[in-house]
Amino acid sequence: LYPYNGWDGLLYNTYSSNVKAHYGAHYDRASYPLSTSTKLTFLLNLSEGEYEGGDLIVDNAKTPFREPGSGILFKSELMHEVTPVTKGERITLTYFMEGPRFQ
């Protein structure tokens, strides 16, 4: 249904408490001109230790995305954000699944 198409993207993110790193409310869109839509966003928690803050809010709801190794998949068109990290470091890998727009 969502085959790898060569245009999918990966993003490695480090959110440090030193700068109260966060990511404001947004939705994901295609970053490549030949791709028509970012359909799904998958996040993998790669954090090596505990951190405070850094909550993932999707569609105005706090998610249970805190455990190292945990993952979450959601429609990229949903508004989402990461709250400021206040202690420690939050590390994630994001996989953007792109392709033709949903029908």
Side-chain angles (χ1 to χ4, degrees), residues 27-76:
Y27 59 93
D28 298 328
R29 3 177 144 173
S31 55
Y32 305 104
L34 298 179
S35 179
T36 57
S37 175
T38 301
K39 296 169 126 176
L40 298 170
T41 299
F42 176 73
L43 293 171
L44 181 62
N45 189 331
L46 300 178
S47 303
E48 296 179 6
E50 292 187 21
Y51 58 90
E52 293 179 9
D55 293 312
L56 175 63
I57 311 295
V58 178
D59 201 25
N60 295 314
K62 185 176 173 182
T63 66
F65 180 70
R66 295 206 65 83
E67 286 292 316
S70 63
I72 188 168
L73 178 72
F74 56 90
K75 281 186 170 182
S76 303

